């Protein structure tokens, strides 16, 4: 049986195509994941097998959905070394209805998951303030400098992830780190990738995140656990703000 409950024959795990409505749903989720910045222009999507696992769908269903995104001009397929599905366009007007449908269906769940991430992120930052070493601090400073100099969009998204991983490592607790990473992966429409917002708000969010990164690092450096906890929780609210901003753009949430 496939991840989404679709019956399959021996040796054909995930190879059967789901119903047209299921393909529609997965298509909407991938469109939305791109629109809200889980996958940014220039990014390569995971391979079909990994996408199928994260979406809970059969591989043939994912393949059909990806083909639709290529037809819409959101993706291009590259062959050969470094090949795969790459994002071309983030949020054309044709994506708006799909974004509205997908986010409105999951709003309550996403709100609770984002809140949980905020709380656990505070725990991790507090632990980092209490346990960081000089080596940890040097790495966090290096990662912050890399974020500060990164270009907007994909480069900033990747630098942000590396900075937060350095904080998690500074906590010196693999269990807490694993819990946070797993929880963050569930605040997702199309993959475990960290959402980065829609184009019109992206740069403002990146600048805000830089200031908050600087404040968090200062608190961790000084060993101020309470402050690091509070700052990390507040920083975590960005994710749900980006989701609600996207919903307003899609016309399914009032200002």
């Amino acid at each position: 049986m496939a991840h989404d409950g679709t019956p399959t024959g021996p040796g054909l795990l995930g190879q059967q195509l789901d119903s047209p409505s299921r393909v529609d749903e997965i298509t909407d989720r991938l469109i939305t994941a791109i629109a809200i910045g889980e996958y940014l222009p220039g990014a390569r999507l995971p391979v079909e097998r990994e996408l199928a696992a994260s979406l809970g769908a059969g591989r043939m269903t994912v393949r059909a959905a990806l083909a639709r995104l290529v037809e819409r001009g959101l993706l291009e397929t590259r062959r050969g070394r470094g090949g795969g599905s790459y994002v071309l366009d983030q949020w054309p007007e044709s994506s708006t209805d799909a974004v509205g449908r997908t986010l409105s269906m999951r709003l309550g769940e996403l709100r609770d998951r984002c809140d949980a991430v905020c709380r656990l992120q505070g725990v991790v930052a507090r632990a980092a303030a209490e346990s960081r070493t000089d080596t940890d601090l040097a790495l966090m400073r290096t990662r912050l400098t890399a974020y500060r100099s990164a270009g907007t969009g994909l480069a900033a998204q990747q630098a942000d992830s590396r900075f937060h991983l350095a904080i998690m490592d500074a906590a010196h607790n693999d269990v807490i780190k694993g819990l946070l990473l797993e929880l963050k992966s569930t605040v997702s429409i199309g993959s475990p990738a960290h959402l980065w917002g829609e184009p019109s708000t992206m740069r403002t969010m990146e600048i805000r995140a830089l200031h908050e990164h600087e404040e968090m690092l200062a608190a961790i450096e000084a060993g101020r656990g309470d402050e690091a906890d509070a700052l990390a929780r507040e920083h975590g609210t960005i994710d749900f703000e980006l989701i609600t901003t996207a919903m307003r753009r899609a016309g399914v949430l009032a200002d």
Side-chain angles (χ1 to χ4, degrees):
M1 182 168 288
H3 290 286
D4 49 10
T6 303
T8 59
L12 295 177
L13 181 62
Q15 294 302 306
Q16 291 191 358
L17 184 65
D18 297 327
S19 66
S21 61
R22 181 65 167 150
V23 177
D24 290 342
E25 177 195 344
I26 297 303
T27 300
D28 278 359
R29 284 182 63 181
L30 288 172
I31 289 170
T32 303
I34 291 170
I36 65 175
E38 288 182 6
Y39 303 116
L40 292 170
R44 182 173 67 176
L45 270 62
V47 297
E48 287 178 4
R49 179 184 65 258
E50 294 173 3
L51 273 178
S54 63
L55 291 163
R59 287 179 63 179
M60 292 298 290
T61 298
V62 169
R63 186 173 301 170
L66 291 173
R68 291 185 182 182
L69 268 63
V70 170
E71 292 173 0
R72 286 170 172 255
L74 295 176
L75 299 178
E76 69 171 353
T77 301
R78 301 178 189 172
R79 306 297 179 187
R81 189 184 181 98
S85 298
Y86 286 80
V87 179
L88 290 178
D89 195 1
Q90 185 171 353
W91 191 332
E93 193 56 39
S94 60
S95 294
T96 299
D97 287 346
V99 174
R101 285 191 298 270
T102 303
L103 293 182
S104 59
M105 288 176 58
R106 299 191 62 197
L107 181 60
E109 173 197 348
L110 290 169
R111 179 189 290 112
D112 288 347
R113 291 184 183 278
C114 287
D115 179 65
V117 167
C118 289
R119 294 174 186 275
L120 190 52
Q121 200 160 272
V123 171
V124 169
R126 178 188 293 274
E130 296 169 351
S131 304
R132 81 286 184 275
T133 65
D134 289 343
T135 300
D136 295 325
L137 290 173
L139 180 60
M140 285 186 281
R141 293 186 197 107
T142 298
R143 297 280 174 85
L144 179 59
T145 298
Y147 179 81
R148 187 181 291 116
S149 61
T152 189
L154 182 59
Q157 183 187 44
Q158 294 171 337
D160 174 87
S161 293
R162 288 190 284 267
F163 174 73
H164 283 283
L165 281 171
I167 294 177
M168 293 178 211
D169 288 337
H172 294 282
N173 188 312
D174 288 341
V175 174
I176 297 176
K177 176 183 176 181
L179 287 172
L180 180 55
L181 288 172
E182 182 178 357
L183 185 56
K184 282 189 169 188
S185 75
T186 69
V187 183
S188 165
I189 302 300
S191 79
H194 181 52
L195 69 92
W196 206 241
E198 52 103 358
S200 67
T201 61
M202 189 177 297
R203 189 55 188 158
T204 299
M205 182 278 297
E206 289 171 347
I207 293 170
R208 169 185 164 183
L210 173 60
H211 295 321
E212 293 181 1
H213 288 168
E214 291 169 341
E215 291 175 340
M216 283 190 293
L217 179 54
I220 291 169
E221 283 182 311
R224 299 191 295 267
D226 288 347
E227 183 180 349
D229 186 329
L231 289 168
R233 287 192 186 204
E234 179 61 27
H235 182 63
T237 64
I238 289 178
D239 286 354
F240 194 66
E241 291 176 24
L242 294 175
I243 290 168
T244 55
T245 297
M247 292 182 71
R248 291 189 187 96
R249 174 173 173 177
V252 295
L253 191 66
D255 291 329

